[in-house]
Amino acid sequence: MNRFKKLPWGFLASCLVGAALVQMTIGTPSTGQATAQVTGTTVALPNHAPANFTKVRPDIPKGKLETITYNSKSIGFDRKAVVYTPPNYDANRKYPVLYLMHGIGGNETHWTSLCAANRILDNLIADKKAVPMIIVMPNGRATADPPSANFMSDFNYYAHFEKDLLQDLMPYIESHYSVKTDREHQALTGLSMGGGQGLNFGINNIDKFAWVGGFSSAPNLQPANVLVPKIQKAKDRLSLLWIGCGDKDSLITGSWNLHQLLVEAKIDHVWYLDSGVHEVPVWNNNLYLFAQRLFKPVGSVTPRPSIGNYTGGSTGGFGGMSMPGFGRSGMTGGPPGSAANTEFTVKREKSDKPSKGAVGKWLIKDGNSEIRLEFKVEGSELTGTLDSSQMPGVIELKDGKIEGDKISFNLVRQMNGQYFKISWTGTLSSDEIKNI
């Protein structure tokens, strides 16, 4: 069954200017929950991080951030990554390492500028809640080409990073930092597109990573019926498989489907539901909880019940996700963790033939990005097209309606061989349409 949700105009721009990652088809939900195996004495995690967990504490030792350049033979040019070394790093001591991936449109700096990875680990290590570890934050977009204005065209570049990670970056880290190289001391996770990378690459390489996770994983996440058999066939067991997401995230279905099939297969994992959408606070909170599980005896730290609530179906809330420069969490500008909403107002295009009501041509602009809409009305039926400067082809509007000053319509797009429906609702006021 396909389940869809209504998205406001801010998300419309996020989807088409930022290349939509949208609500996916989901199956009938089951009710089971899987938990990590527990043995011996355990410490229970809180069900959410404390209020000040991302703040700088002046009275504790700080880790260091270093930008490194390594040669990528798999891509054919030098690339950058940011490396966090824990407080009082000692080159004579071997440390476990976490590879931490960013989302689409981001780069190696986003986990420390947009999010708060270094501050979270400083605080956890000071409180003796996390093992001192090295964190490697690479650029997960594996190409020498400049970033594309069409985010969707970058999907394959993120898949190609697996080779760069295994063959180029990890050997560089192992030769330049004092790290342990066995699977029990290597972890991989990330947010959004990086969450999909974390789960895909980690499950593909269980012989190298014993600790694997994904936060708000994007639709690059491989289908559950592909990933679960890989876990079942692997020679080694995962010490931790973490699947986290906000309960109002419109990308939750990939994570949900994976969780459901893991339950059915009786595979130990953590399913953590935060309360939120596709945003920075969810990612910081997941890292806070995930990091406390790493590199410790399995079962020595157990999760509390999730604070979110989701049992399948359409998600609610504002927009459900955000992209760089758009939507709920300001991914460009503003302090880390800020949540400035960006609303897009649709303006009527000037024409020699003035039109009234919804009929006519409309424009959304954000910088150099444009979305053009053309509406036709017959009674309460709304038809028309959408044309985006960032995506090829004109899209025909489906199921359009106009009721008083409220207009609504659907779009259907194909991505990775699957069809997705985006439903929008707006309020018409003279020569503007504003999101609801």
Side-chain angles (χ1 to χ4, degrees):
M1 177 185 291
N2 287 333
R3 315 240 180 153
F4 306 112
K5 60 170 292 181
K6 291 182 178 179
L7 303 176
W9 286 105
F11 188 57
L12 164 121
S14 155
C15 285
L16 289 164
V17 178
L21 306 177
V22 294
Q23 183 82 2
M24 301 176 67
T25 302
I26 64 173
T28 303
S30 64
T31 57
Q33 292 281 338
T35 58
Q37 185 179 13
V38 179
T39 58
T41 303
T42 64
V43 176
L45 286 177
N47 60 9
H48 196 278
N52 296 324
F53 74 108
T54 63
K55 302 297 183 184
V56 174
R57 288 160 52 181
D59 58 335
I60 64 171
K62 306 294 190 297
K64 293 182 179 180
L65 294 175
E66 178 184 13
T67 298
I68 58 104
T69 300
Y70 68 98
N71 181 256
S72 174
K73 295 181 177 63
S74 61
I75 301 175
F77 74 110
D78 288 347
R79 310 196 72 228
K80 292 184 177 180
V82 172
V83 178
Y84 167 88
T85 50
N88 303 313
Y89 171 74
D90 182 357
N92 295 315
R93 171 186 173 185
K94 295 290 186 179
Y95 294 85
V97 59
L98 165 63
Y99 291 88
L100 186 60
M101 309 302 301
H102 61 80
I104 195 167
N107 58 39
E108 69 277 0
T109 69
H110 275 204
W111 263 107
T112 53
S113 58
L114 169 67
C115 299
N118 54 319
R119 300 194 296 277
I120 292 170
L121 265 294
D122 283 348
N123 293 337
L124 286 175
I125 292 170
D127 294 337
K128 301 188 183 306
K129 292 180 178 179
V131 172
M133 68 186 77
I134 290 173
I135 304 178
V136 180
M137 293 159 277
N139 186 331
R141 182 179 178 274
T143 178
D145 295 336
S148 170
N150 181 356
F151 284 93
M152 194 175 293
S153 69
D154 280 358
F155 260 55
N156 287 337
Y157 295 143
Y158 285 82
H160 295 161
F161 181 72
E162 183 173 3
K163 186 175 181 181
D164 177 274
L165 171 69
L166 299 174
Q167 297 183 11
D168 300 311
L169 178 59
M170 290 177 66
Y172 177 93
I173 295 299
E174 291 166 6
S175 65
H176 288 76
Y177 291 89
S178 186
V179 297
K180 297 180 179 180
T181 59
D182 61 295
R183 64 181 298 273
E184 285 297 335
H185 293 94
Q186 295 187 146
L188 177 63
T189 192
L191 68 88
S192 193
M193 186 69 83
Q197 289 176 309
L199 290 167
N200 292 343
F201 302 168
I203 292 171
N204 285 348
N205 299 280
I206 293 177
D207 61 321
K208 295 179 175 63
F209 301 100
W211 314 81
V212 172
F215 313 151
S216 310
S217 297
N220 64 321
L221 179 66
Q222 292 176 354
N225 60 6
V226 173
L227 293 174
V228 170
K230 291 180 181 180
I231 300 172
Q232 293 171 319
K233 294 175 183 177
K235 174 185 175 183
D236 302 302
R237 288 189 62 184
L238 287 168
S239 298
L240 174 62
L241 177 57
W242 180 285
I243 305 167
C245 199
D247 60 357
K248 295 177 179 62
D249 190 329
S250 61
L251 303 188
I252 195 173
T253 52
S255 297
W256 171 257
N257 290 343
L258 179 55
H259 159 60
Q260 292 294 295
L261 198 56
L262 289 167
V263 171
E264 184 179 322
K266 296 181 170 59
I267 296 175
D268 289 340
H269 67 288
V270 173
W271 168 240
Y272 179 77
L273 270 176
D274 201 349
S275 177
V277 296
H278 201 79
E279 59 183 338
V280 170
V282 170
W283 305 328
N284 279 336
N285 182 52
N286 268 264
L287 179 60
Y288 174 88
L289 298 172
F290 179 79
Q292 293 182 66
R293 297 288 300 269
L294 296 180
F295 315 124
K296 297 178 180 179
V298 174
S300 64
V301 182
T302 60
R304 292 274 182 87
S306 300
I307 65 170
N309 181 25
Y310 179 80
T311 56
S314 175
T315 57
F318 178 84
M321 70 168 285
S322 60
M323 295 289 289
F326 305 105
R328 179 176 175 121
S329 56
M331 297 180 95
T332 57
S338 63
N341 290 341
T342 301
E343 295 186 354
F344 287 80
T345 298
V346 188
K347 301 278 189 180
R348 191 188 301 274
E349 285 199 76
K350 294 181 180 180
S351 172
D352 295 335
K353 298 179 180 180
S355 56
K356 294 182 179 180
V359 174
K361 297 181 178 181
W362 300 80
L363 178 67
I364 304 172
K365 291 197 69 174
D366 181 72
N368 295 324
S369 302
E370 293 185 346
I371 298 173
R372 282 189 160 82
L373 294 152
E374 184 169 3
F375 295 141
K376 298 177 182 178
V377 176
E378 185 173 341
S380 62
E381 183 181 356
L382 179 76
T383 59
T385 58
L386 182 149
D387 186 10
S388 168
S389 63
Q390 305 300 326
M391 299 180 70
V394 174
I395 308 171
E396 183 180 351
L397 309 184
K398 304 287 187 181
D399 308 318
K401 294 181 181 179
I402 182 163
E403 300 173 340
D405 63 349
K406 302 293 190 298
I407 68 171
S408 62
F409 58 87
N410 297 325
L411 296 176
V412 176
R413 296 293 291 171
Q414 184 181 21
M415 185 171 65
N416 289 348
Q418 301 183 71
Y419 285 91
F420 304 91
K421 182 189 289 183
I422 309 170
S423 300
W424 300 329
T425 303
T427 300
L428 175 65
S429 175
S430 183
D431 290 337
E432 295 183 346
I433 303 174
K434 294 186 176 181
N435 63 284
I436 293 180

